[in-house]
Amino acid sequence: MTDQDNRPLRVAIVGSGPAGFYAAEYLQRQQPAVEIDMFDRLPTPYGLVRGGVAPDHPKIKSVTRIYDRIAGQPGFRFLGNVCVGRDLSHEELRAHYDGVIYTVGAQTDRTLGIPGEGLRGSHAATEFVGWYNGHPDYRDFEVDLSVESAAVIGVGNVAMDVARILASRVADLAATDLAGHALAALEASRVRTVYVLGRRGPVQAAFTNPELREFGELPDADVIVDPRDLELDELSAAELSAADDRTAEKNMATLKEYASRLPLGRPRRVIFKFLTSPVEILGTDRVDGLRVVRNRLEADGKGGIKAVATDETEVLPVGLVFRSVGYKGVALPGLPFDDRSGTIPNANGRVLAAPGTESALPGVYVAGWIKRGPSGVIGTNKPCGVESASHLLTDHASGVLPAPSGDRAALDRLLAERGVRVVSFADWQRLDSLEVEQGKAAGRPRLKFTRIDEMLEALT
Ligand code: NAP
C-alpha cells in the first residue's frame, strides 16, 4: 500500500459561501472522511449570506446554522483572511491538495453601457448592498442620500432589496444587522421617491412573490403601479398561460392589487414602471436625471420575448441611479475564464482548459455562481455543490487526480512564512460573539465589524 492509500483525501475549497459549504457537506459524508480546508479572503465566512442577503431577511440568514455544523465536523478547517491569487497561487494550492473546488461567486456587476454611467450618483446595486451589509470591500463606498429621488434599474430580487431598503423605516432597519455606518446614513436619507424600472413587462419580471409582496407591507411607503403597465400584450398573455409555475401569475395579482391602491400620502413612494429602459444618465458632474424610453415587446426569434424601444421618452428627475442588472464573475489568476458569461469554463463543475474545449484540468472544480452564473437562490447551490464534489470523488476513484507533493503542515508553513494571519473558525466564532455583544450595547441584534484590520485587532 502506498502512502497515498493510507491518508485521507485532501480537498481545498476556495470561498465560504453556500456552494462551498454544500460541496464540503457532501465530501464529509464519504467514508473514509475527506479532509477539507476552506479558504476565504475575508476573516468572516458565509459569502453572500453575510454580505448579500438583505438584513431584513433574517430567516434566510439562519441557514448559517447548517454551515456551522459543517464547519464543526472533524477534518474541516476554515482558513479565513487568506486570498488565493495573493497569499497563495492556484499552482500552490494544486500542489498541496488532491482537488481544489472554487466557489468564489460573482464578485462584480454588469453595466448598462449607456452615457452618464460614470457620473457621481450612478452606482452598482451590488456596491450599495455590500455597503449596507458591512462588507469590508464597500466600507468606504460613498452614496449621497441627500437627494429626493432614486431609480433602481432592473426587476430582479437584488433590485427589490435595494428599493425596499431605501423605502424602509429606519426604526425597522435598526432592528436588523444592517451595518452601523449605513444605518446612520439611511437615518439622514432624504430619498422620498424610488423608481423601479423593468425593461420588459410584469410577466417577465425576475422578482419572486414574497419579495414583491413586501412592498405592500412597508409602513412608510405608498407603492404605485400604473394599471396601463399591467395590460398584457398577446405575447405576455401567452407566456403567462403557458408558464410552468405560478410565480408570474401571483406577481400579476399583487401588482393589480397595488395598482388599485389609492396613495395614502405616506412619506415615501415606490413607483414600479415596466416596459421602460434607461437610455442616458443626465448630469454634468453628478446625476440629476435619467432619460428613459418606453419599450414594446417582440418575439426574439429564440422562443423568448425582448424589449424594443419606441420613440416615447421621458426624463425622471432622479439624483441617484442604481443599476441592478446582474452580478458578474471575475477571473482568477492561473485559471481559464469565459469573459462573455463571467464564469470559469466547466463541464458540470469540472474546470475546462479553455472555453469551448472538452479537456478538463484534472483536480480543479467550480461550484456556485462562478460555475453557472449569478442565478438561483441559496438552495440552488446545494445540488450544484454536490454535483461538482461528486465529480471530484469520481475522478479520485478513477485515479486521474495528480498526487499532491505537500500536505497541510507544509501549507501552514508557507502561509506562516508569508506572514499571513490565518483566521480559524474558532476565531470567527469569537468575532461573531463580539458582534452580537457590540449589538446588545447599541440595542441592535448585531453590530458588524466592517474593516478587516478591526477584525484582526479584535482577535489579538
Ligand atoms: P436577476 O434576477 O437576473 O435580475 C436581473 C434584472 O436585470 C432582470 O430584471 C433583467 O431584465 C434586468 N436587466 C438585465 N440587463 C438589463 C438592461 N441592460 N437594462 C435593464 N434591465 C436589465 O439578477 P439579480 O437581481 O442580481 O439576482 C441574482 C440572483 O440572486 C437571482 O437568482 C435572484 O433571485 C437571487 N436573489 C434572491 C434573493 C431572495 O431570494 N430574496 C435576493 C437577492 C437575490 P430581463 O429579464 O429583461 O433580462
Side-chain angles (χ1 to χ4, degrees):
M1 219 183 231
T2 65
D3 178 46
Q4 297 295 325
D5 299 318
N6 285 327
R7 63 165 183 82
L9 188 69
R10 277 201 308 276
V11 174
I13 297 178
V14 183
S16 64
F21 272 106
Y22 292 125
E25 184 182 40
Y26 183 74
L27 293 172
Q28 285 174 341
R29 293 220 192 99
Q30 309 308 310
Q31 282 302 332
V34 177
E35 273 184 6
I36 296 162
D37 281 355
M38 181 180 276
F39 294 85
D40 203 292
R41 67 189 178 93
L42 294 181
T44 54
Y46 313 138
L48 276 184
V49 178
R50 179 176 165 98
V53 172
D56 56 346
H57 285 167
K59 260 200 198 143
I60 300 183
K61 283 174 189 267
S62 64
V63 71
T64 57
R65 281 192 224 122
I66 296 172
Y67 306 156
D68 291 348
R69 266 208 309 275
I70 298 167
Q73 295 299 308
F76 180 100
R77 300 196 309 176
F78 175 67
L79 292 92
N81 197 38
V82 180
C83 179
V84 173
R86 181 193 66 198
D87 302 320
L88 284 175
S89 70
H90 167 64
E91 281 316 314
E92 285 165 341
L93 270 190
R94 283 293 303 113
H96 289 82
Y97 297 91
D98 296 286
V100 184
I101 308 179
Y102 286 93
T103 57
V104 293
Q107 293 175 31
T108 186
D109 75 294
R110 295 197 178 273
T111 53
L112 296 165
I114 59 172
E117 214 168 349
L119 284 170
R120 223 154 31 96
S122 160
H123 305 289
T126 53
E127 296 173 314
F128 186 62
V129 169
W131 172 77
Y132 66 59
N133 275 323
H135 192 297
D137 285 1
Y138 305 101
R139 176 62 183 84
D140 297 316
F141 169 72
E142 283 177 17
V143 57
D144 179 0
L145 298 172
S146 70
V147 303
E148 286 260 311
S149 303
V152 181
I153 317 290
V155 281
N157 282 331
V158 171
M160 297 297 104
D161 287 347
V162 168
R164 191 180 67 255
I165 294 292
L166 286 169
S168 288
R169 223 168 36 183
V170 170
D172 295 332
L173 296 177
T176 74
D177 70 358
L178 186 124
H181 58 262
L183 188 67
L186 287 161
E187 197 156 18
S189 167
R190 297 179 57 198
V191 175
R192 295 291 170 259
T193 303
V194 181
Y195 295 93
V196 181
L197 309 184
R199 65 176 166 181
R200 298 189 291 159
V203 171
Q204 292 84 32
F207 48 64
T208 39
N209 303 144
E211 283 66 27
L212 179 63
R213 280 200 300 266
E214 281 173 296
F215 285 93
E217 290 150 22
L218 290 175
D220 261 7
D222 284 321
V223 49
I224 296 171
V225 177
D226 184 341
R228 279 180 317 161
D229 276 5
L230 307 181
E231 289 165 11
L232 299 185
D233 62 303
E234 268 178 33
L235 287 171
S236 296
E239 184 173 274
L240 187 62
S241 58
D244 296 337
D245 69 24
R246 297 188 57 212
T247 303
E249 183 193 329
K250 288 184 185 165
N251 279 342
M252 281 300 291
T254 305
L255 289 165
K256 280 184 185 156
E257 193 267 311
Y258 291 164
S260 72
R261 287 187 185 191
L262 285 177
L264 297 172
R266 288 171 172 164
R268 296 197 171 94
R269 301 183 300 167
V270 178
I271 304 177
F272 282 86
K273 284 173 85 71
F274 293 96
L275 295 167
T276 302
S277 279
V279 285
E280 183 178 4
I281 302 176
L282 306 171
T284 40
D285 63 335
R286 55 154 307 120
V287 176
D288 61 24
L290 178 68
R291 190 186 312 282
V292 297
V293 67
R294 181 87 181 163
N295 297 325
R296 60 187 168 73
L297 297 177
E298 255 183 25
D300 66 2
K302 292 177 268 177
I305 296 175
K306 66 177 179 186
V308 178
T310 66
D311 53 13
E312 198 184 315
T313 63
E314 66 173 309
V315 172
L316 304 178
V318 298
L320 274 173
V321 173
F322 296 99
R323 58 177 184 275
S324 184
V325 295
Y327 285 78
K328 191 169 188 256
V330 172
L332 282 161
L335 284 166
F337 190 68
D338 181 349
D339 201 46
R340 225 169 35 89
S341 61
T343 58
I344 291 179
N346 69 94
N348 304 319
R350 286 187 175 102
V351 171
L352 299 174
T357 60
E358 279 178 16
S359 76
L361 295 180
V364 192
Y365 307 85
V366 278
W369 280 4
I370 197 66
K371 167 182 172 184
R372 39 171 236 279
S375 67
V377 292
I378 291 171
T380 317
N381 292 296
K382 190 164 183 168
C384 181
V386 166
E387 179 185 58
S388 305
S390 70
H391 285 321
L392 187 156
L393 295 173
T394 308
D395 292 348
H396 172 59
S398 54
V400 300
L401 300 185
S405 48
D407 57 9
R408 269 183 167 172
L411 183 104
D412 292 350
R413 273 197 304 276
L414 193 62
L415 289 170
E417 274 160 30
R418 292 178 181 169
V420 181
R421 164 61 166 103
V422 179
V423 173
S424 67
F425 206 75
D427 288 336
W428 150 245
Q429 286 170 319
R430 272 176 62 206
L431 290 174
D432 183 30
S433 313
L434 286 170
E435 288 188 343
V436 173
E437 258 171 51
Q438 286 167 182
K440 228 177 238 156
R444 313 261 329 265
R446 167 187 301 270
L447 210 46
K448 284 181 177 175
F449 289 102
T450 56
R451 293 192 193 278
I452 292 177
D453 52 4
E454 285 168 7
M455 297 180 199
L456 301 181
E457 176 70 21
L459 289 173
T460 53

